[in-house]
Amino acid sequence: MDVPEAVCLPKQYDAVVIFDADNLVHLDFLMEINNRYCKGERLIQGYLDSKNPNDTWVSGVFAISFWIINHVWHLAKYNIGLSSVFGGTGMCISTDILKKYGWQATCLTEDMEFTMKSLLEGIPTTWCHDAIVYDEKVVTFKQSWNQRKRWAQGHFDVAERYIPKLLKEGIKRRDIVILDGIIDLIQPYFLLISAFFVICSTIYSFVPFYTNVLYALLPYEIWQVIGIGQYVIPAIILFKIHAAPKSWFYTLFYTAGFPLPWPALSIAMNTPGATPCIPGTSALTMCWCRKAQKWDPSRLSTPKRETKTKPEAVQRCTASSFWARGALQWYLCSLYLANMVK
């Protein structure tokens, strides 16, 4: 059943909940969503957990990635009053909104497109940390590549079409929540910048050919903390959710470079020849079932000038530019940790 059809049923409902057909859903999912709906929230994203975190190292790393995102990104933003983003499954949408605005999202990342359309109307997407949906993650690297290629392509498409609109509307209304939607959309561009500086830093180790301004912006110690956070934050989350020993083992793959294909995919997808939209298609279906819990972080990068007489500083630059991916994201990490007791 497609989303628009759900609002045309003979019996009328307050909201529509969307799952992928292979999902399992926690028994308390609808109760938690209903509690949020009764508080006035109209677009609600549930906790995206993994149904198969221990099948392969690929599914294990994907699970870690989503567990981190759930805590460091979605929960942190919800705690400080910013909008979350729909994740493609475990989504609750008020039928009033569907009747008034329709779905009208047809690109490869229709969940993100609908989120941005709603933000432009002043309707944020909230996060329900206790409404858990278990999604099945891909188990091979090839499947992962194809899936992330589709995500990257759709992400660029939505970013190109909605960043100007969000910027204009956010400034016009002086609404930080709308402007914050831009942060979600510019992530692929951060990845491109990251990849660029990783390459430049590596070459710089042998041939100093540019002026590095990284440490002019922030002291080396700050970048060191950001780099260490790449390892500490996942550990905190895994400990918090009582992850299985195998998941702890998979963190070696996560921190060792599993996110690296993203820059290549971002470059490949940021081309005029790409076909970002498939009108009238929807991979979303309705279903229902039972429990779990998990999350993914990110990185920023930028470089600074190092003198030829400081090889250690060059190594520091390389490490810092590689492990940093967005001061804003790590800022939200600290906000989350400050709100952990909430």
Side-chain angles (χ1 to χ4, degrees):
M1 180 182 295
D2 204 355
V3 176
E5 296 176 12
V7 298
C8 301
L9 294 172
K11 186 175 180 179
Q12 295 301 301
Y13 297 90
D14 293 327
V16 173
V17 178
I18 303 170
F19 303 106
D20 286 339
D22 59 0
N23 288 167
L24 295 177
V25 183
H26 193 287
L27 291 173
D28 294 335
F29 182 92
L30 292 181
M31 180 185 71
E32 296 294 343
I33 291 292
N34 184 68
N35 290 340
R36 292 298 183 83
Y37 187 89
C38 291
K39 292 179 180 178
E41 299 176 10
R42 291 299 176 260
L43 299 178
I44 310 167
Q45 174 60 55
Y47 186 103
L48 298 171
D49 207 334
S50 174
K51 188 170 76 173
N52 58 330
N54 299 319
D55 282 4
T56 67
W57 71 270
V58 175
S59 67
V61 171
F62 258 101
I64 293 170
S65 176
F66 274 85
W67 298 338
I68 296 173
I69 288 176
N70 288 346
H71 290 75
V72 171
W73 191 252
H74 294 298
L75 181 58
K77 293 182 74 172
Y78 179 74
N79 284 344
I80 60 176
L82 298 177
S83 176
S84 188
V85 177
F86 275 147
T89 184
M91 308 181 296
C92 175
I93 307 172
S94 169
T95 51
D96 291 340
I97 292 176
L98 288 174
K99 289 175 181 177
K100 185 174 181 179
Y101 302 107
W103 178 251
Q104 297 179 350
T106 56
C107 80
L108 293 176
T109 49
E110 56 185 354
D111 47 0
M112 177 170 283
E113 182 180 7
F114 186 78
T115 299
M116 299 308 155
K117 280 180 174 289
S118 301
L119 261 184
L120 288 172
E121 299 295 338
I123 308 170
T125 298
T126 59
W127 175 255
C128 188
H129 202 67
D130 297 317
I132 306 168
V133 57
Y134 299 90
D135 186 38
E136 185 166 354
K137 308 304 180 187
V138 295
V139 295
T140 69
F141 188 80
K142 183 178 180 180
Q143 292 172 346
S144 165
W145 180 275
N146 291 335
Q147 184 183 64
R148 294 197 288 175
K149 181 173 67 175
R150 184 179 75 250
W151 290 349
Q153 185 174 334
H155 204 144
F156 270 117
D157 173 41
V158 176
E160 290 170 3
R161 290 189 289 125
Y162 285 91
I163 286 179
K165 296 178 182 178
L166 290 169
L167 183 61
K168 178 181 177 181
E169 198 65 26
I171 294 175
K172 179 181 176 181
R173 301 188 191 181
R174 298 182 181 180
D175 191 335
I176 189 63
V177 177
I178 295 177
L179 291 173
D180 176 71
I182 299 173
I183 303 300
D184 289 297
L185 295 181
I186 61 177
Q187 298 310 307
Y189 301 99
F190 273 130
L191 280 169
L192 290 176
I193 295 171
S194 270
F196 174 74
F197 281 121
V198 167
I199 294 170
C200 288
S201 297
T202 303
I203 297 174
Y204 188 91
S205 300
F206 304 97
V207 183
F209 68 98
Y210 68 94
T211 299
N212 190 333
V213 297
L214 180 64
Y215 299 129
L217 300 175
L218 288 174
Y220 165 69
E221 289 73 21
I222 299 297
W223 293 113
Q224 197 171 38
V225 170
I226 293 174
I228 293 172
Q230 182 74 19
Y231 302 93
V232 174
I233 298 297
I236 293 174
I237 304 300
L238 290 179
F239 179 79
K240 187 174 186 293
I241 64 176
H242 308 293
K246 206 167 186 180
S247 294
W248 285 91
F249 172 71
Y250 287 143
T251 58
L252 298 176
F253 295 94
Y254 177 81
T255 56
F258 181 76
L260 291 182
W262 274 111
L265 287 167
S266 297
I267 294 170
M269 290 301 100
N270 191 24
T271 57
T275 308
C277 291
I278 304 178
T281 60
S282 173
L284 306 174
T285 32
M286 310 254 209
C287 88
W288 161 248
C289 283
R290 130 174 155 217
K291 162 176 182 180
Q293 213 164 303
K294 330 248 166 167
W295 56 281
D296 160 88
S298 316
R299 24 162 92 136
L300 176 205
S301 48
T302 6
K304 159 203 168 180
R305 168 156 206 190
E306 304 301 338
T307 63
K308 297 180 182 179
T309 57
K310 293 184 178 180
E312 291 183 9
V314 173
Q315 295 175 6
R316 290 174 180 175
C317 168
T318 303
S320 298
S321 62
F322 181 83
W323 291 116
R325 179 197 159 195
L328 287 172
Q329 289 184 320
W330 291 116
Y331 170 67
L332 285 175
C333 288
S334 64
L335 286 172
Y336 163 67
L337 294 175
N339 282 290
M340 264 176 130
V341 294
K342 232 178 161 182

